[in-house]
Amino acid sequence: MYSFRNDYSEGAHPQVLQALLDSNLEQTVGYGLDPYCEAARSLIRELCGAPGAGVHFFVGGTQTNLVTISALLQSYEAVIAAQTGHICVHETGAIEAAGHKVCTVPTEDGKLTPAEIENVLASHSTEHMVEPRLVYLSDSTEVGTVYTKAELVALRDCCDTHGLLLYLDGARLGSALTSPESDLTLSDLAALTDAFYIGGTKNGALFGEALVMTLPHDRFRWHMKQRGAVLAKGRLLGLQFQALLKDGLYWELARRANEMAFRLRDGLSALGCAFPLPSPTNQQFPVLPNSVVKGLQAAGYRFEVDHAEGPDQTCIRLVTSWATPEDAVNTFLQSLADCKE
Amino acid sequence: MYSFRNDYSEGAHPQVLQALLDSNLEQTVGYGLDPYCEAARSLIRELCGAPGAGVHFFVGGTQTNLVTISALLQSYEAVIAAQTGHICVHETGAIEAAGHKVCTVPTEDGKLTPAEIENVLASHSTEHMVEPRLVYLSDSTEVGTVYTKAELVALRDCCDTHGLLLYLDGARLGSALTSPESDLTLSDLAALTDAFYIGGTKNGALFGEALVMTLPHDRFRWHMKQRGAVLAKGRLLGLQFQALLKDGLYWELARRANEMAFRLRDGLSALGCAFPLPSPTNQQFPVLPNSVVKGLQAAGYRFEVDHAEGPDQTCIRLVTSWATPEDAVNTFLQSLADCKE
Amino acid sequence: MYSFRNDYSEGAHPQVLQALLDSNLEQTVGYGLDPYCEAARSLIRELCGAPGAGVHFFVGGTQTNLVTISALLQSYEAVIAAQTGHICVHETGAIEAAGHKVCTVPTEDGKLTPAEIENVLASHSTEHMVEPRLVYLSDSTEVGTVYTKAELVALRDCCDTHGLLLYLDGARLGSALTSPESDLTLSDLAALTDAFYIGGTKNGALFGEALVMTLPHDRFRWHMKQRGAVLAKGRLLGLQFQALLKDGLYWELARRANEMAFRLRDGLSALGCAFPLPSPTNQQFPVLPNSVVKGLQAAGYRFEVDHAEGPDQTCIRLVTSWATPEDAVNTFLQSLADCKE
Amino acid sequence: MYSFRNDYSEGAHPQVLQALLDSNLEQTVGYGLDPYCEAARSLIRELCGAPGAGVHFFVGGTQTNLVTISALLQSYEAVIAAQTGHICVHETGAIEAAGHKVCTVPTEDGKLTPAEIENVLASHSTEHMVEPRLVYLSDSTEVGTVYTKAELVALRDCCDTHGLLLYLDGARLGSALTSPESDLTLSDLAALTDAFYIGGTKNGALFGEALVMTLPHDRFRWHMKQRGAVLAKGRLLGLQFQALLKDGLYWELARRANEMAFRLRDGLSALGCAFPLPSPTNQQFPVLPNSVVKGLQAAGYRFEVDHAEGPDQTCIRLVTSWATPEDAVNTFLQSLADCKE
């Protein structure tokens, strides 16, 4: 049975693999200084309308977050993040291990607002407290929601007012930017954040995240290397991002992931499931009777249990990807309908 | 006018100073390995009924907390603390700077309960999350409350059940243990915690905190030295704790600080002030009309503003110490009465 | 012209790539808990004769070194390493960034001896100094030399005597173990070290290092995740190590790299070049007249300059790999002969 | 018998103690923001001819070094220090624990030269290596030697040329600046370094080091607090430095320590002892026959053994201080003469 556990259960899109095959025996210099990485950097700068941006490739998201955030902060500076933020929950305290407190904000929908940020600032005033300095956002968020351009502009204004840096975790950026509820573009992100990353692992690559950093930083590669985050055969990252971005494959794959998610959502709604956390992206959080959850698991389906909704129901997480077959969605909905009977 | 801002505005009790004077030109070895420190260690072990405990002297509380907590934890292990805990608020992220996440728990009264601890544990299960490992308590707490023996026994049981370490910040331990609401003794603390400290800075010493560690740790001094926390003329710490503890001066001073606080509390109550956070120790948190607060400040009184209680009233913090003269309390109450008229 | 700059200029051996292709659309769980990683772990344990060993897969060598060493040490504990060790020179202070001093030992040949280790220990005695605790070796070393079994047994004995951990960096382990001067096997390494890794990046993989840890450590994955060192599609690592190790491809490739290196060495010797650092592995360090070095560079050859040998000569580094064509070696030797004329 | 083990065996000079006594029951604000610290800051700025310098008080030298160095460096930046430097030997890897590599330079006399610094720089070029950024000097050095103004000017020039910071550990600055071989003043140090400290612990204070930082840093107190290096009753530090510096007591005490050392040196020379490490300050390193060393120890004298000079002789360290009585020196010389017979 198909697994809806996450969006990294399969390998890479065939065009991405082909790029690795085609160049396999070619010799290049290491550590991301090769022509493929350079070409991918140029392409990304162009897509972002940010000719001067630094572009750095990483193997995974936790690595990207920890290297970037620690490179941007002094030891007494802290991060402001939504309580559901990936760095707060699922990165084993990597930011704290790098020495920085994360000031967490409880939110309804996984999104931060200027008012919440200013609230945190108001309680940090002297050298007895950390100094909040960087705002961490995820788009899409860990609960599937997305930021609008107006929201991001307001956050940027707030950051400018208070001398804060703005960083956006784009592990699921493809799904976010192709969401019907998003009006953001790569250029907007480059213009409005100090740094953000384009997630490849969850959208067609074997692995890889492309950090776009508009804030100048001439020693960033020192930070990367010190954290063990420079891939010897760095071209593998450049090659993959070239393949994904040069003809829009990245957006096509993200759109497909979203479509599969919406098909799931619509089918589940039709079957009477509630969605207390509505999501316009590739993660869906339906509430199901416990018996149905057990039935689906018994049938071999795989997915994460998010939380209990009272004694009899469970909110689960279903994740789709570019690789999710339409058939798998249909079969799942049929199985669910069978369980509910 | 007298300052009620904190309990470290003055120097040391004269008997403590005398001990420094008497030994001033004597030669001893450095770094806390001298006969005075040894004698103070023996005395503390005896008072704690803990003949095998490690006793280590520090210059201040933040230093004690950061060295001890970081010495007890592996990098992926985290602390559980009340949101009001000193390490969460007023230590500039020292614990995070040492690499550890602090999982904070909102509380009514600054005190942790087993249920709250288990709640934190329930949301930490795999290698994608930190592993909560040490429970941080303060006694008295940052809002003036104290733990009872029954509460501490329950916390110890909870820690034993879940393999957690229990550490108690005793910056205001004198005030706590001499509080009418406390039935705890030094022996209880030694028996029920893995480590705790007896605060000297806020109760009669020029400076100094005595860490009592029942958990064996044969390299603790390496941690201390690496953090710059070993005083060259370490005997200054031993001498002060000897002077404070050998004839009960420590308890006498703490009792006096509490008495002055209760006199303040009773006087303020009589004048109609509310105490939404009732405290049985040397910190009192009365709510006053804003005009009265301003009047007292204008009159030259010094104290911390804790928070606004609605638009017209303010909760302030008044702290007394062993050095607070009864006259200062009386004068303050009179000034307050004048302001209220 | 061929580049002899390093052994990671090309991609992966075709059989390795094929394994990725064959499994590409299969769904597996993430983070190295999939069946391919499990199978690779079993295979490695078997090859090592170490059924109880922990086996962990990493993307690169610096990452492996920093996660493993920091997981094994307390903050006051230090590493002993040869001055040429990779962690001392080419990892941007990653070990120090993780909090640990590296006590470096100057050596002739990149190899540590028990006497040198004991020398370091003799100068570290109290809490005012770090406590050396882990010995870091590389095999082959950064200057191409290898350890014999007798040497490694002596180092193990030394470590046992002094309570030290023994860790071996196997970035070029294939080249070392297939060297005519080595009598070591994987089983020997598992028996004699506390942890070592089998380097994939430099011997046939796209990327990947397999850490074998005989020292028990039940929270190692927490350390990995906290450092951003867990690959989402972890199976990519398991698949590659399976392909390399199941039928001995790993050794075949390493042997070929060595053969190409020896062909270079013999050809260079025949042309009169000296080798002050004789190497029985895939890195060769010939001394050439400066004019020859410039001629080769002008002809388009790529290699590292190691150091100047007096005013007129230069010691260069030539590295071969499984992918080095025999023709490239012959052409290079011919070009060199031409330059010398 | 008198101990020549170090210069912190006794308490404080009586005038320093008197300052503490005189102000004991006065109330001041905490954390070094009180009028006494402000006055001491003004005085120090005036003595240094550095009206804009930051002046920060610490309790001890290791703490001063670790807070200052870590506040001045990014994580990938390293320190250059003589191998005998206090931070390399006797601070339990505190600098590395704060994340920074220390590049050590072997020296004859404990002093660094521009050539040695440039040598270190020459071997650090890319992001695979740390970036040396701060030069650490001690004056007097750990082997008793001092820098001349010409030497310090040359080091400053070297630092300017290469964009390096210059930091000087003044644990024994009094002894250095009053040495007959020194032509440096506080003003020179303020003009030529980015930061240095005036050591109090080893020259008349109970404890205390005054950091003078001409490099602007508006968040230095955040670093201090995060490392637990802000004394609650901070005025104790200001009071002591006022007492020491306002009428030149500091220099008087240092001069006396040097005089006692020279008396020892001259007496020992007269008795035929060699001084392979000649020192113009309060640490003297005579070479004695092993039998004499044992004889002095048996007679109850205390001192550090520095190293063996061949099988029959030992180089010991004798340290004098402001508190060393002339009689103690004479008696020691007599005892030594007796042992030699």
Side-chain angles (χ1 to χ4, degrees):
Chain A
M1 285 301 160
Y2 197 74
S3 165
F4 294 95
R5 188 178 275 175
N6 59 49
D7 31 18
Y8 42 92
S9 297
E10 289 95 353
H13 187 273
Q15 286 178 239
V16 170
L17 278 185
Q18 193 59 47
L20 299 185
L21 290 173
D22 290 346
S23 60
N24 188 51
L25 286 181
E26 203 177 317
Q27 284 195 305
T28 58
V29 295
Y31 306 117
L33 301 176
D34 61 277
Y36 294 108
C37 282
E38 283 308 333
R41 280 190 190 98
S42 294
L43 178 58
I44 287 170
R45 287 190 191 105
E46 196 185 316
L47 291 170
C48 290
V55 177
H56 303 279
F57 300 108
F58 289 87
V59 164
T62 296
Q63 196 182 66
T64 314
N65 289 335
L66 93 86
V67 173
T68 307
I69 292 174
S70 66
L72 293 178
L73 297 185
Q74 298 301 309
S75 74
Y76 60 89
E77 294 178 332
V79 179
I80 303 176
Q83 207 164 39
T84 46
H86 204 257
I87 57 166
C88 306
V89 183
H90 278 119
E91 302 190 359
T92 322
I95 303 304
E96 289 88 354
H100 305 286
K101 179 164 176 163
V102 182
C103 304
T104 57
V105 176
T107 68
E108 289 291 304
D109 59 0
K111 292 162 63 180
L112 280 181
T113 64
E116 287 160 347
I117 291 168
E118 286 171 350
N119 222 25
V120 172
L121 295 179
S123 64
H124 290 83
S125 52
T126 75
E127 68 262 36
H128 295 263
M129 301 154 206
V130 292
E131 184 155 295
R133 170 80 167 130
L134 181 145
V135 173
Y136 168 92
L137 309 177
S138 311
D139 194 29
S140 65
T141 69
E142 294 73 10
V143 296
T145 50
V146 298
Y147 285 92
T148 64
K149 186 164 176 180
E151 288 168 340
L152 199 62
V153 166
L155 286 161
R156 174 78 264 173
D157 286 348
C158 171
C159 288
D160 286 343
T161 303
H162 300 291
L164 303 178
L165 299 172
L166 187 55
Y167 170 68
L168 188 143
D169 179 333
R172 293 193 174 96
L173 194 65
S175 184
L177 296 201
T178 58
S179 167
E181 292 195 11
S182 177
D183 55 354
L184 283 167
T185 64
L186 285 183
S187 294
D188 293 332
L189 293 177
L192 294 170
T193 71
D194 293 290
F196 73 97
Y197 76 84
I198 306 172
T201 300
K202 293 172 177 166
N203 194 34
L206 282 179
F207 54 85
E209 327 295 326
L211 179 77
V212 180
M213 201 155 160
T214 50
L215 194 79
H217 195 315
D218 69 352
R219 284 297 183 265
F220 192 74
R221 283 175 62 82
W222 274 251
H223 286 283
M224 291 179 70
K225 179 64 189 171
Q226 189 174 65
R227 302 283 183 184
V230 178
L231 188 63
K233 303 185 184 178
R235 71 187 194 190
L236 302 176
L237 292 159
L239 282 159
Q240 293 186 82
F241 274 100
Q242 263 194 307
L244 285 168
L245 291 170
K246 72 178 171 195
D247 298 318
L249 178 63
Y250 187 79
W251 310 114
E252 194 183 305
L253 298 182
R255 229 171 261 120
R256 176 173 174 89
N258 284 351
E259 274 163 28
M260 291 304 105
F262 302 156
R263 181 176 286 262
L264 269 177
R265 179 192 61 196
D266 298 345
L268 286 157
S269 291
L271 288 164
C273 298
F275 286 83
L277 290 168
S279 156
T281 59
N282 74 322
Q283 298 182 84
Q284 296 294 326
F285 298 85
V287 173
L288 305 179
N290 294 349
S291 61
V292 173
V293 171
K294 279 184 194 132
L296 290 166
Q297 288 169 333
Y301 291 105
R302 293 289 166 262
F303 46 80
E304 299 282 343
V305 167
D306 198 73
H307 65 274
E309 286 262 322
D312 303 323
Q313 305 210 86
T314 299
C315 179
I316 69 167
R317 185 183 79 154
L318 300 174
V319 192
T320 56
S321 82
W322 62 273
T324 308
E326 203 172 315
D327 268 6
V329 171
N330 295 340
T331 313
F332 177 81
L333 289 171
Q334 186 55 54
S335 299
L336 194 147
D338 294 348
C339 289
K340 288 200 82 166
E341 275 166 21
Chain B
M1 285 302 159
Y2 197 74
S3 166
F4 293 97
R5 189 178 276 174
N6 58 49
D7 31 17
Y8 44 91
S9 297
E10 290 94 353
H13 188 273
Q15 286 178 236
V16 170
L17 278 185
Q18 194 59 48
L20 299 185
L21 289 172
D22 289 347
S23 59
N24 188 51
L25 286 181
E26 201 177 316
Q27 286 194 305
T28 57
V29 296
Y31 306 116
L33 301 176
D34 61 277
Y36 295 109
C37 282
E38 283 308 332
R41 281 190 189 97
S42 294
L43 178 57
I44 288 170
R45 287 190 191 104
E46 196 185 317
L47 292 170
C48 290
V55 178
H56 304 279
F57 300 108
F58 290 86
V59 164
T62 297
Q63 196 182 68
T64 314
N65 288 336
L66 94 85
V67 174
T68 308
I69 292 174
S70 65
L72 292 178
L73 297 185
Q74 298 301 308
S75 73
Y76 60 90
E77 294 178 332
V79 178
I80 302 175
Q83 207 164 39
T84 47
H86 204 258
I87 56 166
C88 306
V89 182
H90 278 119
E91 301 190 359
T92 320
I95 303 303
E96 289 88 353
H100 304 286
K101 180 166 178 163
V102 182
C103 304
T104 57
V105 177
T107 68
E108 289 291 303
D109 59 0
K111 291 162 64 180
L112 280 181
T113 64
E116 288 160 347
I117 291 167
E118 286 171 350
N119 223 24
V120 172
L121 295 179
S123 64
H124 290 82
S125 52
T126 75
E127 68 263 36
H128 294 263
M129 301 153 206
V130 293
E131 184 156 295
R133 169 82 167 128
L134 180 144
V135 173
Y136 168 91
L137 310 176
S138 310
D139 195 28
S140 65
T141 69
E142 294 73 10
V143 295
T145 50
V146 298
Y147 286 90
T148 63
K149 186 165 177 180
E151 288 167 340
L152 200 62
V153 165
L155 286 161
R156 175 78 263 171
D157 286 348
C158 170
C159 289
D160 286 344
T161 303
H162 301 290
L164 303 177
L165 299 172
L166 186 55
Y167 170 67
L168 187 142
D169 179 332
R172 293 193 174 96
L173 193 65
S175 184
L177 296 202
T178 59
S179 167
E181 291 194 12
S182 177
D183 55 354
L184 283 166
T185 64
L186 286 182
S187 294
D188 294 332
L189 292 177
L192 295 169
T193 71
D194 293 289
F196 73 98
Y197 77 85
I198 305 171
T201 299
K202 293 172 177 166
N203 194 34
L206 283 179
F207 55 85
E209 326 294 326
L211 179 76
V212 180
M213 201 156 160
T214 50
L215 195 77
H217 195 317
D218 69 353
R219 285 296 183 266
F220 192 74
R221 282 176 63 83
W222 273 251
H223 287 282
M224 291 179 70
K225 179 64 189 171
Q226 188 174 65
R227 302 283 184 185
V230 178
L231 188 64
K233 302 184 185 179
R235 71 188 193 190
L236 301 176
L237 292 159
L239 281 159
Q240 293 186 82
F241 275 99
Q242 263 194 307
L244 286 168
L245 290 169
K246 73 179 171 197
D247 298 319
L249 179 62
Y250 186 80
W251 309 115
E252 197 184 303
L253 298 181
R255 229 172 261 119
R256 177 173 173 89
N258 284 350
E259 274 161 28
M260 291 303 106
F262 302 155
R263 180 176 287 261
L264 270 176
R265 179 192 61 194
D266 297 344
L268 286 157
S269 291
L271 289 163
C273 298
F275 286 82
L277 290 168
S279 154
T281 59
N282 74 322
Q283 300 181 84
Q284 295 294 325
F285 298 85
V287 172
L288 304 179
N290 294 348
S291 60
V292 172
V293 171
K294 280 184 193 130
L296 290 167
Q297 288 169 332
Y301 290 105
R302 293 289 167 263
F303 45 80
E304 300 282 345
V305 167
D306 198 73
H307 65 273
E309 286 262 322
D312 303 324
Q313 305 211 88
T314 299
C315 179
I316 68 168
R317 185 183 77 153
L318 299 174
V319 192
T320 56
S321 82
W322 62 273
T324 307
E326 200 171 318
D327 268 6
V329 171
N330 294 340
T331 313
F332 176 81
L333 289 171
Q334 186 55 54
S335 299
L336 194 146
D338 295 348
C339 289
K340 290 199 81 167
E341 274 167 20
Chain C
M1 285 302 159
Y2 196 73
S3 166
F4 293 96
R5 189 179 275 174
N6 59 49
D7 31 16
Y8 43 91
S9 296
E10 290 95 351
H13 188 273
Q15 285 178 238
V16 170
L17 278 185
Q18 194 58 47
L20 299 185
L21 290 173
D22 289 347
S23 60
N24 187 51
L25 286 181
E26 202 176 317
Q27 285 194 305
T28 57
V29 295
Y31 306 117
L33 302 176
D34 61 278
Y36 294 109
C37 282
E38 284 308 332
R41 281 191 190 96
S42 295
L43 178 56
I44 288 170
R45 287 190 192 103
E46 197 184 316
L47 291 170
C48 290
V55 178
H56 304 280
F57 300 109
F58 290 86
V59 164
T62 296
Q63 196 182 67
T64 313
N65 288 336
L66 94 84
V67 174
T68 307
I69 292 174
S70 66
L72 292 179
L73 297 185
Q74 298 301 308
S75 73
Y76 60 88
E77 294 178 332
V79 178
I80 302 175
Q83 208 164 38
T84 47
H86 203 259
I87 57 167
C88 306
V89 182
H90 278 119
E91 302 190 359
T92 320
I95 303 303
E96 289 88 353
H100 304 286
K101 179 165 178 164
V102 182
C103 303
T104 57
V105 177
T107 68
E108 289 290 304
D109 58 359
K111 291 162 64 180
L112 280 181
T113 64
E116 288 159 347
I117 292 167
E118 286 171 350
N119 223 26
V120 173
L121 295 179
S123 64
H124 290 82
S125 52
T126 76
E127 67 263 36
H128 294 262
M129 301 154 206
V130 292
E131 184 156 297
R133 170 80 167 130
L134 180 144
V135 172
Y136 167 92
L137 309 176
S138 310
D139 195 27
S140 65
T141 69
E142 294 73 10
V143 295
T145 50
V146 298
Y147 285 91
T148 63
K149 186 166 177 181
E151 288 168 341
L152 199 62
V153 166
L155 287 161
R156 175 76 265 172
D157 285 347
C158 171
C159 289
D160 286 344
T161 302
H162 301 290
L164 303 177
L165 299 172
L166 187 55
Y167 170 68
L168 188 143
D169 179 333
R172 294 193 173 96
L173 193 65
S175 183
L177 297 201
T178 58
S179 166
E181 291 195 11
S182 177
D183 55 353
L184 283 167
T185 64
L186 286 182
S187 294
D188 293 332
L189 293 177
L192 294 170
T193 71
D194 293 289
F196 73 98
Y197 77 84
I198 305 171
T201 299
K202 293 172 178 167
N203 195 33
L206 283 179
F207 53 87
E209 325 295 326
L211 179 77
V212 180
M213 201 156 160
T214 50
L215 195 78
H217 195 316
D218 68 353
R219 285 297 183 265
F220 193 74
R221 283 176 63 82
W222 273 251
H223 286 283
M224 291 180 70
K225 179 65 189 169
Q226 189 175 64
R227 302 282 183 186
V230 178
L231 187 65
K233 302 185 185 179
R235 71 186 192 190
L236 301 176
L237 292 159
L239 282 159
Q240 293 185 81
F241 274 99
Q242 262 194 307
L244 286 168
L245 291 169
K246 73 178 172 197
D247 298 319
L249 178 62
Y250 186 81
W251 310 114
E252 196 184 304
L253 299 181
R255 230 171 262 122
R256 177 175 174 89
N258 284 352
E259 275 163 26
M260 291 304 106
F262 302 156
R263 180 176 286 261
L264 270 176
R265 180 192 60 193
D266 297 345
L268 286 158
S269 291
L271 289 163
C273 298
F275 286 83
L277 290 168
S279 155
T281 59
N282 73 323
Q283 299 182 84
Q284 295 295 325
F285 298 85
V287 172
L288 305 179
N290 294 349
S291 60
V292 172
V293 170
K294 279 187 193 129
L296 290 167
Q297 287 169 333
Y301 290 105
R302 295 288 167 262
F303 46 80
E304 299 283 343
V305 167
D306 198 72
H307 65 274
E309 286 261 323
D312 303 323
Q313 305 211 86
T314 299
C315 179
I316 67 167
R317 186 183 76 154
L318 299 174
V319 192
T320 56
S321 83
W322 62 272
T324 306
E326 200 171 319
D327 268 5
V329 171
N330 294 340
T331 312
F332 177 81
L333 289 171
Q334 185 56 53
S335 300
L336 195 147
D338 295 346
C339 288
K340 290 199 81 167
E341 276 165 20
Chain D
M1 285 302 159
Y2 196 73
S3 167
F4 293 95
R5 187 178 278 175
N6 59 49
D7 32 17
Y8 44 91
S9 296
E10 289 94 353
H13 188 272
Q15 286 177 237
V16 170
L17 278 184
Q18 194 59 46
L20 299 185
L21 289 173
D22 289 347
S23 60
N24 187 52
L25 286 181
E26 204 178 315
Q27 285 194 304
T28 57
V29 295
Y31 305 116
L33 302 175
D34 61 278
Y36 294 108
C37 282
E38 284 307 333
R41 280 189 190 98
S42 295
L43 178 57
I44 288 170
R45 287 189 191 104
E46 196 184 318
L47 292 170
C48 290
V55 177
H56 303 279
F57 300 109
F58 289 86
V59 164
T62 296
Q63 197 182 67
T64 313
N65 288 335
L66 93 86
V67 174
T68 307
I69 292 174
S70 65
L72 292 177
L73 297 185
Q74 299 301 309
S75 74
Y76 61 88
E77 294 178 332
V79 178
I80 302 176
Q83 207 165 39
T84 47
H86 204 258
I87 56 167
C88 307
V89 182
H90 278 119
E91 301 190 358
T92 322
I95 303 303
E96 289 87 353
H100 304 287
K101 179 165 177 164
V102 182
C103 304
T104 57
V105 176
T107 68
E108 289 289 304
D109 58 0
K111 291 162 63 181
L112 280 181
T113 63
E116 287 160 346
I117 291 168
E118 287 172 348
N119 222 24
V120 173
L121 295 179
S123 63
H124 290 82
S125 52
T126 75
E127 68 262 36
H128 294 263
M129 300 153 206
V130 292
E131 184 155 296
R133 169 82 167 130
L134 181 146
V135 172
Y136 168 93
L137 309 177
S138 311
D139 195 28
S140 64
T141 68
E142 293 73 10
V143 295
T145 50
V146 298
Y147 286 90
T148 64
K149 188 166 175 178
E151 288 168 340
L152 200 61
V153 166
L155 286 161
R156 174 77 264 171
D157 286 347
C158 170
C159 288
D160 286 344
T161 303
H162 301 291
L164 303 178
L165 299 172
L166 186 55
Y167 170 68
L168 187 144
D169 179 332
R172 293 193 174 96
L173 193 64
S175 183
L177 296 201
T178 59
S179 167
E181 293 194 10
S182 177
D183 54 354
L184 284 165
T185 64
L186 285 182
S187 294
D188 293 332
L189 293 177
L192 294 170
T193 71
D194 294 288
F196 73 97
Y197 77 85
I198 305 172
T201 299
K202 292 173 177 166
N203 194 33
L206 282 179
F207 54 85
E209 326 294 326
L211 180 76
V212 180
M213 201 157 160
T214 50
L215 194 80
H217 195 316
D218 69 352
R219 285 295 183 266
F220 192 74
R221 282 176 62 82
W222 273 251
H223 287 283
M224 290 180 70
K225 179 65 189 169
Q226 189 174 65
R227 302 284 183 183
V230 178
L231 188 64
K233 302 184 186 180
R235 72 188 193 190
L236 301 176
L237 292 159
L239 282 159
Q240 292 187 81
F241 274 100
Q242 263 193 306
L244 286 169
L245 291 169
K246 73 178 170 196
D247 298 318
L249 179 62
Y250 186 79
W251 309 114
E252 195 184 304
L253 298 181
R255 228 171 262 121
R256 177 174 173 88
N258 284 351
E259 275 162 27
M260 291 303 107
F262 303 155
R263 181 176 286 262
L264 270 176
R265 179 192 60 193
D266 297 346
L268 286 157
S269 291
L271 289 163
C273 298
F275 285 83
L277 290 168
S279 154
T281 58
N282 74 323
Q283 300 182 84
Q284 296 294 325
F285 298 85
V287 172
L288 305 179
N290 294 349
S291 60
V292 173
V293 171
K294 279 186 193 129
L296 290 166
Q297 288 169 333
Y301 291 105
R302 293 288 167 263
F303 45 80
E304 299 282 344
V305 167
D306 198 74
H307 64 273
E309 287 261 323
D312 303 324
Q313 306 209 87
T314 299
C315 179
I316 68 167
R317 184 182 78 154
L318 299 174
V319 193
T320 56
S321 82
W322 63 272
T324 307
E326 202 172 314
D327 268 6
V329 171
N330 295 339
T331 312
F332 177 81
L333 289 170
Q334 185 56 54
S335 299
L336 194 146
D338 294 347
C339 288
K340 291 199 80 165
E341 276 167 19

